[in-house]
Amino acid sequence: MREGTFSAVTDGDAPQVDVLGIKISRRGKEFMSEMVKIAEIFGKNVFNEVVMKERLPKSVFKKMKKTMEDGVELDPSIADVVAHAMKEWAIERGATHYTHWFQPLTGVTAEKHDSFISAPDTEGRVIMEFSGKELIKGEPDASSFPSGGLRATFEARGYTAWDCTSPAFLREDAIGVTLCIPTAFCSYKGEALDQKTPLLRSMQAIDGQALRILRLFGNTRAKRVCPSVGPEQEYFLVDRAKYLQRKDLIYAGRTLFGAMPPKGQELEDHYFGAIRERIGSYMKEVNEELWKLGVTAKTQHNEVAPAQHELAPIYDQANLAVDHNQMVMETLKKVAGRHGLTCLLHEKPFAGVNGSGKHNNWSLTSDDGVNLLSPGETPHENIQFLLVLGCILKAVDIHADLLRESAADVGNDHRLGANEAPPAIISVFLGEQLEDVIDQLCSTGEATHSKKGGTLRTGVATLPDLDQDATDRNRTSPFAFTGNKFEFRMVGSSDSIAPPNVVLNTIVAEAFKEAADELEAAEDFDTAVHDMIKHLLKEHKRIIFNGNGYSNAWVEEAEKRGLPNIRSMVEAIPALTTKKAVKLYEEFGVFTRAELESRAEVEYEAYSKVINIEARTMIDMASKQIIPAVIRYTTHLAASLNGVKTACPEADTSVQAELLVETSDMLSDMKVALANLIDITEKCGAMEAGMIQAHAYHDKVVPAMEALRTPADRLEMIVDKELWPFPSYGDLIFEV
Ligand code: ADP
Ligand code: MG
């Protein structure tokens, strides 16, 4: 809830303005117009603390703040006052409608708009109304949202409840201005049907347990510990006109056919490359839109694959970070249209080049400013840090399956353990410095020193020598310690970051709880904590891996260590409902068994539906576009062959003849593969929804899709480009 500060200060003869904390002259201000603009627009569309302070009576503001900061229940008696202030503020800014904005299990956000107008009075006049009740609670018909059997279709009622820890905001688009109220979404019986409810529950769990750890180390000031999250969002941009020519991009969000162009990403010239003008102006508008929404868009760059980019905000509380990431995804898509572009958030829009992920940076921060994951200069002496680290290693080791599951979505099957990194095996990268401390503790029982970073000599007299970090980075690790946070790199680019954070918060809460239970009862705390750290590190050392996670050697090594290697979404889903998972989640009130079972059900269904759409799209494209194009080509070839032969019997027509044979052979391969895909997709589609159906789609339909793609992609390399029915990979990723 940061607010840009921009205030004019007149300072004698040299008038100055204070822009974002920098004092500059008025003349300088002209040059800094862009920065001034940021200061002015940042948070402009957010009903944040500054606005509330301005517009709410003091006592009401105080109560709101208490709810937001201490997590105490919202006093319903103030709801009307807050709603009134929110309505006035929104209407002043042009809002006509409000919506409860929520995150059902569809992976995208949902909203139903209501206008502020009341029923006309007897003279036909309307007024603008918005009550506390409307702010706090909504009742959208829930029957068409996935519930995984939690609710029969006839039990339609669902509730949305205001999450006042995430500020309301105004969305400006073609519809006009809409007041969006972030809400949780539950069934009639209170079961979670969304991403936010379990996230908030898991934040409560880690808060309580982390505070116990802090208290053990004598911290009596902290009142709250909150997970901080910074997600790095990757995406592709393609030209909208070309996008519209590809049914696979339209229906599936990824290409289902497509031969590699002569150039891919092998030169690595796109990564961090200069940003082209068209993309640059897009990024600028994305940033501005996000800043207005209070999203701290900070870093942007070109990614590894051609046409791939990244955007990262400054980290925030987990709950806000999750909401903001949804806004980032929405904004990336919306703004793309205005620039004649389409933003692809799919994990693998193009085979053969890098896919997109979302690095989820996670740490724990107390309200008195301590980052529990900060090792300090001398980690070997930082007992609290070592205990926290030991607990995290234990949590990740024991619940690797849950963490892996949290990153499972259909698109991510193309990345994790398949065509590209990160691998599907969960391991933790700690880096040299920490590994050395752990080695010392495990071998001698004492850690006496911490490795220091040296000085990096550049070898150029005019360049400064650089301080070297004590630890290098490891890009191949799925769960890497990066100085004062862990970076979970498995999450898919289109997926919500709520599930991985629910898992992280809850599994670490469990490890903290077990540690605190023991340590609070210990007679000699110092000895007990020392022994516990050693024990934790020894016991869970197998999860640490600092080497190359992309190598086959690691797959073998991980198997020896007994680490799970879960290669697909359908194999990952059962982790949700194991005895271990149910016990964990029920103990911390994050999910009931029924909620877990429903989520597993929703995921199996989602898997089947997505693969079914992909298969049917391939069938459509193969039948109506590719095969007719190839037939046209063979007809041209045959006509040319006959024509040349007639005109000049002694001319060499072997090229036409060979091409005709080759193309016709592949065409017939394609027809066989198509018939097979049609048959298998129909059979799977007729099965009852659930686990068995999802496995059938995975085991039968996916390979049948591959089998159809192979001859089609080979044909694309032969057939006259003029006749090929849609833009090629080269057209899509190199000509944006
Ligand atoms: P990279 O890992 O790509 O070098 P950074 O480490 O600077 O980039 O940051 C990546 C993301 O991690 C950003 O969103 C940043 O705000 C976030 N981040 C930085 N520190 C923390 C922290 N202590 N906890 C959570 N996220 C953090
Ligand atoms: Mg990073």
Side-chain angles (χ1 to χ4, degrees), residues 16-275:
Q16 290 189 323
V17 283
D18 183 344
V19 179
L20 296 167
I22 309 168
K23 283 216 169 13
I24 52 165
S25 70
R26 285 210 179 275
R27 194 162 147 59
K29 187 192 148 198
E30 284 164 31
F31 295 111
M32 287 198 51
S33 59
E34 278 303 308
M35 290 307 286
V36 172
K37 195 164 146 196
I38 299 177
E40 281 169 352
I41 66 174
F42 189 81
K44 170 176 165 252
N45 286 350
V46 186
F47 191 72
N48 57 22
E49 236 180 272
V50 179
V51 182
M52 280 192 235
K53 199 168 177 187
E54 241 170 57
R55 291 180 171 252
L56 293 175
K58 234 188 188 147
S59 62
V60 174
F61 174 69
K62 255 187 161 163
K63 281 185 182 167
M64 269 304 298
K65 205 164 150 70
K66 203 158 172 55
T67 301
M68 292 182 316
E69 282 174 4
D70 303 345
V72 298
E73 203 173 319
L74 181 78
D75 178 349
S77 69
I78 67 168
D80 273 327
V81 184
V82 179
H84 180 76
M86 205 186 268
K87 179 193 73 181
E88 304 259 288
W89 171 81
I91 289 175
E92 273 169 35
R93 281 159 182 73
T96 52
H97 288 69
Y98 68 92
T99 180
H100 277 200
W101 183 75
F102 58 104
Q103 300 169 31
L105 301 176
T106 51
V108 290
T109 57
E111 51 197 69
K112 186 181 110 194
H113 297 196
D114 279 300
S115 76
F116 288 115
I117 61 167
S118 64
D121 63 15
T122 46
E123 280 149 44
R125 278 176 309 224
V126 293
I127 51 163
M128 296 294 161
E129 270 185 347
F130 184 52
S131 67
K133 198 172 149 268
E134 286 164 310
L135 168 64
I136 292 183
K137 195 175 111 186
E139 286 182 35
D141 183 336
S143 57
S144 293
F145 289 108
S147 81
L150 268 184
R151 189 203 55 220
T153 318
F154 60 88
E155 296 170 327
R157 214 183 271 277
Y159 293 110
T160 48
W162 182 31
D163 166 23
C164 60
T165 60
S166 181
F169 58 93
L170 296 176
R171 175 157 352 94
E172 300 168 310
D173 52 25
I175 304 177
V177 181
T178 309
L179 170 67
C180 300
I181 301 152
T183 53
F185 179 47
C186 310
S187 76
Y188 183 61
K189 296 188 186 118
E191 287 135 336
L193 294 174
D194 69 343
Q195 308 283 15
K196 189 186 269 286
T197 309
L199 179 73
L200 293 173
R201 292 173 180 165
S202 74
M203 287 170 70
Q204 281 177 23
I206 188 105
D207 177 24
Q209 302 305 327
L211 276 177
R212 289 177 70 192
I213 300 289
L214 287 182
R215 299 279 184 264
L216 279 167
F217 286 90
N219 181 334
T220 49
R221 298 172 316 260
K223 286 195 297 217
R224 255 195 107 194
V225 175
C226 186
S228 300
V229 172
E232 301 164 56
Q233 176 74 48
E234 293 180 335
Y235 60 94
F236 277 82
L237 286 174
V238 295
D239 185 85
R240 184 152 181 84
K242 289 179 190 150
Y243 162 89
L244 289 173
Q245 292 172 53
R246 295 215 40 145
K247 301 271 180 248
D248 46 4
L249 288 180
I250 294 172
Y251 296 133
R254 74 174 179 109
T255 54
L256 297 164
F257 295 102
M260 268 306 280
K263 180 182 171 184
Q265 64 190 39
E266 54 278 76
L267 295 182
E268 297 180 333
D269 49 352
H270 194 255
Y271 191 55
F272 286 5
I275 296 169

Side-chain angles (χ1 to χ4, degrees), residues 230 232 310 312 359-361 473 475 482 485 487 489:
E232 301 164 56
E310 180 179 303
H359 293 175
N360 185 84
N361 293 273
R473 293 198 168 211
R475 289 277 165 199
T482 47
K485 63 186 191 301
E487 186 170 342
R489 302 204 177 110

Side-chain angles (χ1 to χ4, degrees), residues 20 75 92 99 146 148 171 178 230 255 266 310 322 371 436 454 512 550 562 577 594 610 658 716 719:
L20 296 167
D75 178 349
E92 273 169 35
T99 180
R171 175 157 352 94
T178 309
T255 54
E266 54 278 76
E310 180 179 303
V322 169
N371 176 356
D436 176 61
F512 281 173
Y550 295 178
T577 48
V610 169
E658 272 167 33
E716 188 185 347
V719 171

